[in-house]
Amino acid sequence: PMGSERMEMRKRQMSTTQETPGAAPAQHSTGNRGSNACCFCWCCCCSCSCLTVRNQDEERARRTSHELQAEGIPNCEESPAPTLEEVNAWAQSFDKLMLTPAGRNAFREFLRTEFSEENMLFWMACEELKQESNKSVIEEKARLIYEDYISILSPKEVSLDSRVREVINRNMLEPSQHTFDDAQLQIYTLMHRDSYPRFMNSAIYKDLLRSLSEKSIEA
């Protein structure tokens, strides 16, 4: 499935990122040495351009590997703790899981472990866009959604087929609340078919269910 391939790609990306930083300085220092005067470097044998490129690459690597975990957490929706009845209902259908903030937060926590939290973030951003009525706000939010989740340059790019991307590019000529409807449906379906079954078998869900069951028995 498309989601499984993307998860594997992210795992390989993480592995590559962890191996890269040690080798990066040597690669850049050889190619850029002496290209500029050295004004801020530790020693005169390293050029400023070399240091700048190296720092940019290291920063990009850190953001790619940690962005979803570190930056996604503060954006969790506020919600009361789920009840045992709610958590049991999540197993009945994906729609019921996605219906409440508590369900979406638990699912996001699982997606974060699979490096695919951007799917939920994109879906939520589309839902937020649909609530807007101000034209200038709609255009700005649509632009941000495109840059964050559609652009191939973004580390949070979601997996969409070429047909849907073409639709989005046409819609972006005159953005509206429904610019990303086709893409949102495709990502929703992807999460339903690919990630949801694994979530139901995950330690995150089972531990939560067990904890609430034990509290229910004690009460």
Side-chain angles (χ1 to χ4, degrees):
M2 187 161 42
S4 297
E5 293 178 359
R6 185 169 183 79
M7 184 179 69
E8 290 301 321
M9 181 175 67
R10 284 189 176 276
K11 289 181 178 179
R12 289 196 297 271
Q13 184 182 39
M14 282 289 293
S15 176
T16 303
T17 299
Q18 292 171 355
E19 296 172 1
T20 299
Q27 293 171 349
H28 290 301
S29 61
T30 301
N32 293 294
R33 182 168 298 174
S35 59
N36 289 319
C38 186
C39 48
F40 298 106
C41 299
W42 286 83
C43 65
C44 59
C45 63
C46 295
S47 70
C48 292
S49 61
C50 169
L51 186 60
T52 299
V53 171
R54 184 177 65 196
N55 289 341
Q56 288 175 344
D57 286 351
E58 290 176 352
E59 176 63 20
R60 187 179 301 112
R62 285 195 295 270
R63 288 184 60 81
T64 300
S65 61
H66 299 296
E67 186 175 52
L68 297 182
Q69 295 116 307
E71 296 183 3
I73 295 174
N75 295 328
C76 284
E77 299 174 85
E78 294 184 3
S79 70
T83 65
L84 179 59
E85 291 73 20
E86 285 177 323
V87 175
N88 278 321
W90 298 348
Q92 297 174 12
S93 73
F94 183 60
D95 291 339
K96 290 185 177 180
L97 169 67
M98 293 287 284
L99 192 60
T100 64
R104 293 191 292 270
N105 284 339
F107 190 49
R108 277 183 63 184
E109 183 181 353
F110 169 74
L111 292 177
R112 194 175 298 126
T113 67
E114 293 200 333
F115 309 102
S116 59
E117 187 186 14
E118 71 277 0
N119 289 332
M120 176 66 81
L121 295 176
F122 171 68
W123 184 88
M124 292 172 61
C126 292
E127 287 295 293
E128 183 178 330
L129 179 64
K130 290 178 181 178
Q131 306 305 313
E132 294 293 343
S133 57
N134 184 285
K135 188 175 185 298
S136 61
V137 174
I138 289 172
E139 291 177 349
E140 176 64 13
K141 286 192 173 184
R143 182 185 63 81
L144 292 175
I145 290 174
Y146 189 94
E147 291 178 354
D148 284 345
Y149 305 108
I150 309 301
S151 172
I152 60 175
L153 301 177
S154 172
K156 295 188 291 186
E157 177 197 3
V158 296
S159 182
L160 300 170
D161 63 35
S162 59
R163 180 193 65 82
V164 170
R165 286 184 174 276
E166 289 176 3
V167 170
I168 291 174
N169 289 333
R170 289 198 300 269
N171 290 343
M172 286 299 293
L173 296 175
E174 191 173 347
S176 74
Q177 299 99 319
H178 305 287
T179 292
F180 304 100
D181 281 4
D182 286 352
Q184 185 186 21
L185 177 59
Q186 188 169 96
I187 294 303
Y188 188 91
T189 302
L190 175 65
M191 291 191 294
H192 183 189
R193 294 178 178 176
D194 189 63
S195 302
Y196 173 64
R198 292 196 298 275
F199 169 71
M200 297 311 304
N201 289 311
S202 70
I204 290 176
Y205 177 74
K206 291 180 178 179
D207 289 348
L208 178 60
L209 184 61
R210 181 174 60 253
S211 175
L212 292 174
S213 298
E214 291 174 352
K215 289 180 180 179
S216 178
I217 293 173
E218 292 173 358

